[in-house]
Amino acid sequence: MSTILLVHGAIADGSSWSEVVPLLQAAGHDVVAVQQPLSSIPDDVAKVRSVLDELEGPVVVVGHSFGGVVITQAAHDAPNVSALVYVAAFAPDEGESAQSLGEPFGQLESASHFVVDKQGRFTLPQDLFPGYFCPDVDPARARVLAAVQGASDVARFGFVSGPPAWREHPTHFVVAGNDRIIPPALERFVAERMNARTTVAESAGHLVMVSQPQVVAQAVLEAAR
């Protein structure tokens, strides 16, 4: 059996994996969901790598959204990693940032609604969060997710990636077909570029692991085989 390391994205926390974790545990895997500081990509990478270094292989590393940027760095040159799974995520190549990766695909409407605080950290207004971040999630659950947002540094959009772990390990990708945070066309592009085994959840919003946990869990279990 594999150990599954789950890495959340920006304006989120480890609880975003709460619907997927029981499915992976029921299949017999050990599961660890990291809580990142969200203060910078290097800080997040350091946190994830510190957890990864403590795990015995094989480890399947799973990243959602900006967690894709994090695992691309944290799993680089990690001998205990057996596979990577990107879930509605950025997957930059060396020299790319999330910003430069996204530019050819244009900005979605949600980008104009992020609010930046005095510390340079961004969130979505709680009343807009459900509609953009998780439109297909139960409204009561969506309001909770909006309330527990992890304010994240704006500088992460410009973080330039080093050598990518996805060039070193087998990769899988879950595309959220109705993503209103990351353009689905971008997700398809990076999945194809990585030659990832790809699953498309056509109706899913950005938090596909909350709205369609079985789809995400199945992709992770395939990566763990």
Side-chain angles (χ1 to χ4, degrees):
M1 289 295 175
S2 300
T3 298
I4 313 296
L5 180 60
L6 303 172
V7 179
H8 64 79
I11 62 173
D13 68 3
S15 69
S16 59
W17 298 106
S18 59
E19 281 75 17
V20 173
V21 170
L23 301 176
L24 301 178
Q25 290 174 331
H29 298 287
D30 293 327
V31 183
V32 178
V34 183
Q35 298 284 359
Q36 293 130 240
L38 302 178
S39 47
S40 72
I41 290 292
D43 290 348
D44 290 352
V45 170
K47 175 62 176 181
V48 172
R49 185 61 187 238
S50 71
V51 175
L52 177 59
D53 285 345
E54 295 296 322
L55 301 176
E56 294 185 4
V59 182
V60 176
V61 184
V62 186
H64 172 248
S65 192
F66 257 108
V69 179
V70 175
I71 70 171
T72 295
Q73 305 302 298
H76 168 57
D77 201 25
N80 57 340
V81 173
S82 61
L84 303 174
V85 183
Y86 290 80
V87 179
F90 294 110
D93 203 349
E94 185 168 9
E96 289 180 339
S97 65
Q99 181 175 341
S100 68
L101 183 59
E103 282 173 355
F105 301 92
Q107 279 198 340
L108 296 178
E109 182 182 327
S110 58
S112 64
H113 293 289
F114 288 110
V115 176
V116 181
D117 67 17
K118 295 176 182 177
Q119 285 75 47
R121 303 172 302 183
F122 69 95
T123 54
L124 273 170
Q126 289 196 29
D127 61 330
L128 298 180
F129 184 98
Y132 288 120
F133 217 72
C134 49
D136 50 341
V137 171
D138 175 78
R141 175 78 166 116
R143 288 193 295 272
V144 172
L145 292 164
V148 301
Q149 287 179 77
S152 307
D153 67 304
V154 172
R156 67 184 45 229
F157 285 96
F159 172 84
V160 177
S161 182
W166 52 261
R167 291 196 180 275
E168 306 164 2
H169 307 288
T171 60
H172 297 244
F173 203 107
V174 178
V175 172
N178 191 35
D179 201 326
R180 299 177 185 178
I181 299 295
I182 298 177
L186 186 159
E187 297 174 20
R188 289 184 170 92
F189 165 75
V190 293
E192 183 176 355
R193 181 173 67 175
M194 293 189 292
N195 196 30
R197 182 168 182 175
T198 302
T199 301
V200 180
E202 290 290 356
S203 62
H206 190 56
L207 278 183
V208 58
M209 65 276 210
V210 178
S211 63
Q212 297 190 33
Q214 296 88 351
V215 172
V216 174
Q218 185 59 39
V220 175
L221 291 174
E222 288 176 0
R225 291 197 179 112

